[in-house]
Amino acid sequence: MSANLKYLSLGILVFQTTSLVLTMRYSRTLKEEGPRYLSSTAVVIAELLKIMACILLVYKDNKCSLRALNRVLHDEILNKPMETLKLAIPSGIYTLQNNLLYVALSNLDAATYQWPSDSQELDSKELSAGSQFVGLMAVLTACFSSGFAGVYFEKILKETKQSVWIRNIQLGFFGSIFGLMAVYIYDGELVSKNGFFQGYNQLTWIVVALQALGGLVVAAVIKYADNILKGFATSLSIILSTLISYFWLQDFVPTSVFFLGAILVITATFLYGYDPKPAGNLTKA
């Protein structure tokens, strides 16, 4: 059963990451009238959706009993403040990572992030060197912070008996607080002027829902697999998004370096998951 959950969660993570990158990139470059939606508010809404989804899952696990749900939340969260506070560190890092993802997708050109865009709206030749540098630094910072947060979160999940959904509620709680702080610091004036949900449309809500789903799936992958396999799944999703951009949207030409990297990632994934059978004892005739 755990093996099935392991590969199911990995497959969903590849699909979710690929869809999120494509839709988020499109939502950040789409030209529309009025103000663009604020990435800081989208991060907060995604955290709140994740908390709501996890509460429903805990409610289901407790046979749809409100009394049992209230008891579990009280015993596992309120009565264990130190256990809850442990999630503040990875939560802050994940919140930073989610905001950096929006920064990267708003500054990098299509070839760098494997996303199709109208050449008249976002031509790589028109992007400033400073903009590309900001996007690259955002990606690198997100990569390093994600690795640390993933290992830390895996350690917490596998060393305690609390369910992955309870841990996600704790994670989302701190994520919402850190996210609201970012909204106030960086976008407080814009929110007071145009509202918290300025620029939101159907595509924005799809991006928010995919990001919330990503938090749940990542937790499941770390719980039933490990952080290394999560990294492989993310790498495969990058390859998949590039292939979609090349074969379907026909505006990205992969280089030899890309093909080499893709081969290395796929090979590493299979080698990591390969479990050779022990050789049988040889008997003398």
Side-chain angles (χ1 to χ4, degrees):
M1 180 64 180
S2 61
N4 293 334
L5 289 173
K6 172 181 176 180
Y7 292 109
L8 176 62
S9 59
L10 284 172
I12 295 175
L13 179 59
V14 172
F15 170 78
Q16 178 272 335
T17 307
T18 304
S19 304
L20 177 61
V21 168
L22 296 175
T23 54
M24 186 184 290
R25 175 62 182 172
Y26 183 66
S27 71
R28 298 304 291 173
T29 59
L30 184 64
K31 297 289 185 178
E32 285 191 341
E33 295 183 0
R36 178 185 295 177
Y37 76 93
L38 301 174
S39 59
S40 58
T41 64
V43 171
V44 173
I45 298 301
E47 292 294 332
L48 294 176
L49 286 179
K50 185 171 68 173
I51 292 175
M52 293 172 57
C54 289
I55 291 176
L56 288 175
L57 289 168
V58 174
Y59 174 71
K60 180 178 179 298
D61 289 343
N62 286 274
K63 300 179 181 179
C64 300
S65 169
L66 288 175
R67 180 176 297 179
L69 172 65
N70 182 65
R71 184 182 67 251
V72 169
L73 295 178
H74 190 272
D75 292 344
E76 297 295 335
I77 298 178
L78 298 179
N79 287 350
K80 296 180 180 179
M82 296 308 298
E83 286 295 319
T84 301
L85 281 173
K86 288 181 181 180
L87 274 297
I89 296 176
S91 177
I93 297 175
Y94 279 134
T95 304
L96 172 65
Q97 175 193 342
N98 289 333
N99 280 282
L100 288 173
L101 180 58
Y102 282 99
V103 173
L105 288 169
S106 300
N107 287 279
L108 291 178
D109 57 36
T112 305
Y113 219 98
Q114 293 88 49
W115 172 252
S117 60
D118 191 290
S119 59
Q120 294 179 351
E121 295 179 359
L122 187 64
D123 194 304
S124 61
K125 294 181 181 179
E126 297 175 359
L127 288 172
S128 66
S131 178
Q132 294 188 32
F133 178 77
V134 170
L136 181 60
M137 288 299 101
V139 169
L140 291 177
T141 306
C143 288
F144 284 109
S145 62
S146 174
F148 173 77
V151 173
Y152 186 95
F153 190 40
E154 179 182 356
K155 182 176 184 295
I156 292 176
L157 282 177
K158 295 186 175 180
E159 287 185 353
T160 60
K161 295 182 179 180
Q162 287 182 312
S163 74
V164 65
W165 311 128
I166 291 292
R167 286 304 194 185
N168 255 300
I169 293 173
Q170 296 168 324
L171 202 66
F173 171 74
F174 288 111
S176 301
I177 294 176
F178 292 135
L180 286 172
M181 290 172 59
V183 172
Y184 177 77
I185 294 172
Y186 296 106
D187 298 315
E189 292 184 5
L190 291 174
V191 170
S192 61
K193 180 180 179 181
N194 299 313
F196 193 88
F197 295 100
Q198 59 179 285
Y200 274 60
N201 52 32
Q202 291 184 350
L203 183 60
T204 308
W205 284 108
I206 291 175
V207 171
V208 170
L210 285 171
Q211 195 166 33
L213 174 64
L216 301 177
V217 177
V218 165
V221 168
I222 293 176
K223 176 70 174 180
Y224 298 109
D226 55 44
N227 192 57
I228 297 177
L229 276 179
K230 179 182 80 72
F232 283 142
T234 305
S235 300
L236 287 174
S237 71
I238 294 173
I239 295 172
L240 181 59
S241 0
T242 307
L243 292 176
I244 292 174
S245 180
Y246 176 68
F247 288 106
W248 183 22
L249 302 160
Q250 298 180 356
D251 74 333
F252 175 70
V253 180
T255 63
S256 57
V257 176
F258 166 78
F259 283 114
L260 176 61
I263 293 172
L264 290 175
V265 168
I266 294 173
T267 303
T269 304
F270 281 107
L271 286 177
Y272 184 80
Y274 177 64
D275 186 16
K277 297 181 179 179
N281 295 327
L282 299 176
T283 57
K284 295 182 179 180

